[in-house]
Amino acid sequence: MQYRGAVLGGVICQVFFGLILIAVYRTLYAGKPQSMPLERITSYVWLQQAFFRMLLASDPDLLDKIRTGGIAYDLCRPLNLYGFYYVRIAAQKLTGSLMRAAPMLVFALLLPKGWGLAAPATPAGLLLAAWGLGLGLLCVSALENITMGFTMRTLDSRGMQAMLNLLMMIFSGNVLPLILFPDSWQKVITLLPYAQLLDAPIRLYTGEAALSEAPGMMMIQLGWTIVLTALGVLFWQRNQRRMEIQGG
């Protein structure tokens, strides 16, 4: 019942915020129409809300082990510690998002035009968006593990997690779609790792990004994933060489 209640509460919360944001954008468009069609904005909002769980999910079990010293047991296991927890955080983000996204997207598809989720611009765009979402998941999981590396040194994740969440929500397009930022800003913020999780796939879904741009976008996603993973591995290895375990 606890897990079902958490999923239901999350779905209701994200649907509520999705409707509020769309009402705000409809008001904006009524006063001053923008160059981007309203249907694309509503689709952007619903997809952001549906996969919101990917942005903020963390591994509470690992955080508890770091605080209590229980991570010492994992050090005794014959496995790669970074790889083990990388897969765990990716699985938690994916499963948590899918449980919320499925009912939310069905609900959004049933809403009238201008309120709901529009169909993808092209079938190929839908497939590329799904592929881009998978690459974005790998990228954000690598970023999350760097945060965990800092937690191993500070024993408190709140500072780094709060900073990461702030940057993630702003530069992933969750607070304001990145496509509404000035063009000069977009040239920079769309290259940051935060934009690779949701903004890049959603642009492909809505048709805001042409299919010819997809290879370049995915190369950026893959490049950030490799760089962040390499940094995370080095950080974790350095932590393990100087780790001090406290606990009973």
Side-chain angles (χ1 to χ4, degrees), residues 96-188:
S97 294
L98 290 180
M99 286 191 294
R100 293 187 182 194
M104 281 187 62
L105 294 180
V106 171
F107 173 79
L109 286 169
L110 297 177
L111 292 175
K113 185 178 180 180
W115 282 95
L117 175 67
T122 62
L126 176 61
L127 294 176
L128 289 172
W131 182 255
L133 187 65
L135 290 176
L137 174 64
L138 297 180
C139 182
V140 76
S141 298
L143 191 59
E144 182 74 32
N145 261 5
I146 291 179
T147 304
M148 292 297 179
F150 279 105
T151 304
M152 290 180 186
R153 297 200 174 195
T154 62
L155 300 183
D156 192 334
S157 65
R158 290 175 293 182
M160 285 301 301
Q161 199 70 48
M163 185 182 300
L164 176 63
N165 290 345
L166 176 63
L167 295 173
M168 191 76 72
M169 292 185 67
I170 294 175
F171 294 117
S172 70
N174 189 268
V175 174
L176 179 69
L178 299 188
I179 48 182
L180 296 182
F181 279 77
D183 292 339
S184 58
W185 287 40
Q186 291 190 47
K187 293 178 181 179
V188 176

Side-chain angles (χ1 to χ4, degrees), residues 66-78:
I66 292 173
R67 285 193 298 265
T68 63
I71 196 172
Y73 295 102
D74 290 336
L75 293 172
C76 299
R77 294 180 179 181

Side-chain angles (χ1 to χ4, degrees), residues 21-101:
L21 287 171
I22 290 173
V24 171
Y25 288 122
R26 286 177 64 87
T27 303
L28 171 66
Y29 271 65
K32 184 179 180 181
Q34 306 294 316
S35 59
M36 184 176 180
L38 179 62
E39 290 74 16
R40 292 187 182 181
I41 290 292
T42 58
S43 295
Y44 195 105
V45 170
W46 282 119
L47 291 171
Q48 279 278 356
Q49 294 300 315
F51 295 100
F52 176 78
R53 179 69 175 167
M54 284 190 182
L55 297 178
L56 302 183
S58 59
D59 191 340
D61 183 53
L62 176 56
L63 293 175
D64 184 66
K65 286 183 177 181
I66 292 173
R67 285 193 298 265
T68 63
I71 196 172
Y73 295 102
D74 290 336
L75 293 172
C76 299
R77 294 180 179 181
L79 51 80
N80 182 287
L81 197 62
Y82 177 90
F84 176 72
Y85 280 106
Y86 180 94
V87 173
R88 274 179 59 98
I89 190 63
Q92 290 173 0
K93 288 178 179 290
L94 178 61
T95 54
S97 294
L98 290 180
M99 286 191 294
R100 293 187 182 194

